[in-house]
Every structure is written in C-alpha cells, then in structure tokens.
Amino acid sequence: MKVIVVGCTHAGTAAVDQILKDHPETEVAVYERDDNISFLSCGIALYLGRKVKKLEDMFYADPETLEKLGAKVCMKHDVLKIDAKNKKIMCENLETHDVFEDSYDKLIMTTGSYVQVPPIMGIDNSKILMCKSYAQAKAIYETAKDNKHIAIVGAGYIGVELAESYANTEHEVTLIQSNNQVLNHYLDPSMSDNVVDLLKEHGVNVFLNEHVTGFSGDDQVVIETSTEDHRADLVIVCTGFIANTDLLRGQVEMDRHGAIIINEYVQTSDPDIYAAGDACTVNFNPTGKSSYMPLATNAIRQGALAGVNVFGNIQKYMGTQATSGMELFGHTVASTGLTLTNALEHGFNADAVVFIDYYRPEYMPTTEMLTIRLVYDKDSRKILGAQFFSKHEVAQSANTISVCIQNNNTIDDLAFIDMLFQPNYDNPFNYLNLVGQMAVDKERGCDQE
C-alpha cells in the first residue's frame, strides 16, 4: 500500500512514525513545502523570553529521521492540486520548479493552519509581524532586539505568552484585545481578571474591548483602535489560525470555517483520505460536537491515529477536552473543557463554583493559594470544565479533570474520588474533592460561597 502524507509538522510526523513502526513495508511519501518539520510553535515564547537558548531545540524530529524509518521525504515540495476521485496529486519542486504527479492508495491530510491575517489597512507594514512558523519566530527575535516597545494584538495563548516573554526581557509591552477578557476560549471573566492583574503587575499595558481598525506611521507604528490610538516600535499579530484546506475544498466535507470534518477514525467523508491536526475538526467531548481547536496535543494524537487507521478502522479517536496550560510569571494557568460562558451558549443548564484556599496545610513551611473554577451541568450533574490559577503547579489537576470529563464523571464522583493525602501535597480531602463537594453542596441548597 502507498500512503501520501501532505504536510509534516506535528500530525504528519506522528502519522509517518506510526505507519512505519507498525507496517515498515508500507510505501510512504511525504510532501512538505517548508524546509523543516515538527516545529513546536508553542516554544516560541520560551525562546523569545530566553528560557530556551536555541530556537532549533524546538524541533523534535527531522527529515533524516523519517527517511531512516523508510519514508520518502520531499522537502520544499508544494502540493498544487489533489484529485481525490483519481487518487492523484500534482506537486512542484520549489527548488527546481519541476511539476509532476504522484498517486496514492491512502492520503493523510496534515497541512496544518496559517495565521489569520485580519483585513486591516496598513497591516503590510514591515514592522508588523505574524507568529507561528520557525521563520516567523526568527524574524520576531531579530527584529525585537532593536525595538523597545512591543505591541501585541490578540490575547489568546500566544499573545499572553509573548507579553510575558517581552516583559521579562525589559521591553515595554502593550497587549490589545478586542474581547472584554483575555484567553476567552479557556477562561471565564473572573479567572481572566487574575491573569490581567498578573500581567499589569509585571508592567504589561493591557487594553480590553479595543478593536484594531488600522495601522499607520513610519518610525513608529500607530495602532488605531475603536477607542484610542497606541504607538509601538514593533507589532505582533496573534489573532488566531485558519485551517489550510483549500486543496480539498469541494472534495470532502468541511465545517463553515473550512476545517475538514472527521469521523471517529479520523477519516474524512472520502474513505481513502484521513485528516489530522490543525487542518481538521476535533470531536469535543463536553458538547459531543465537532469543533475547531488547533492545539499540538490534538495534532499528535490524531496524526498517530491516522497512521493506525489507514490500515482499517482499528482504533477510535477518543476526542478532546482541549486541555491546556501555561506558566505565567511564576503562576500556573490551566483549563479543560467548557467555561461557564461557553456552556451556557451551548444550551447547558450549567453553573459553576469557585474554590479559593491553600493547596496544602498552613502548618507546612510554605504553601500557596489556589483558585479552581469548576463548571458542571445542573441537570445531569456531569463535569463540563475547570480552570486553575496558582503559584503551585496545578496543570496536572487540569489533566485529572480532563479524564473526568472524558469518562462522564459527575460532581458527586469528584467529591469523593480516591486521591492521596500527604501534607507535602494536599489536605485530607484533595482540593479537587473539595471543589466537587462545593458543587454538591450548592445543588443541595447549602452553598457557602
């Protein structure tokens, strides 16, 4: 059998590795238009903040590794057309400009996403940069050396992480967000307030509810917004990603945003084409519906499953809770599942409780405050999501709640689920037990908030 993999970042790399590990006799051809694979864009902020010395450390695989496994790897090759009906692709060698065809038995679409460039006047200014790829990261690093005041447009994960990195490297930082909060896909407003306060404590100028309407200026960039104008030496736009799926438009089913819809075996509506990573949707377990969530965690799992399932419907995709986390000025911010805002928008009869206390006994030499916001469905009592904020490392607690959502656990389960007690780590009831008990008490009418 011959498998063609189009695009090779996280999902593509995982797919090739899985195929050749399980079936080394398979003919695998990889077509990648860039000159590198497996770049961890989530590490850009670590590099810019000088926590990681070399940007090249953000690669965890290379073409030579895949070739040693037995793949034919064609770097700097751009796929121009996919003919799904006849199982052919047309490709251009970007170095020689030769154009040729190749054929497949199975195709894995892992073309990823590209930065959403808002249609704003003046965005083509050379001092306005995007942030996703290896080349873009290098450009940002070099440009920022000679620019003191950095403005970041968009306060999702990348925008907030970049704000921290530049604040820690003695830059003046302005963060502009069109929404009324930061991290709005992951946090409710009250938890966002904690993040905003932390950013401001470290000198970041945060402006919410400001929609950027244009850019102008020469020596400095003038950022024109719906409220006021801001000035900066350099602007980085972090306004989200768009699925890179034009090659299959009209040939497989897609959602309204252009992301490829997959089934429980990461298979598209064409049974011989599989999709993984930022090019496709995810099965979002809290709602039971397809959604677009471009995260590296989703990409590597879907990619590996594509590598398994091209040989038959072998292993189902378990879906995702979109669990994520970041370290921000010594604090952990983590989340999983739905926020209360999103749960209500999806029609759940949802509610939330907030636990604020020390993560371990006060008689210990040190301890830290912990805030947990637990979201649940009042009708089924199922856990829908959770958000965490603390100087204590609570990211693994987000993973625990992710498993609870995956397994349809209720607030009653969480209240008494078996967890260790040791004063170094927690109280006799772990803080996850305690927030579960708060939710149970609230539903009994004895809410003590």
Side-chain angles (χ1 to χ4, degrees), residues 407-426:
N407 293 337
N408 294 312
N409 287 126
T410 64
I411 54 175
D412 309 277
D413 297 329
L414 183 62
F416 290 98
I417 194 169
D418 180 34
M419 294 187 178
L420 68 84
F421 163 57
Q422 214 286 337
N424 281 296
Y425 307 111
D426 59 1

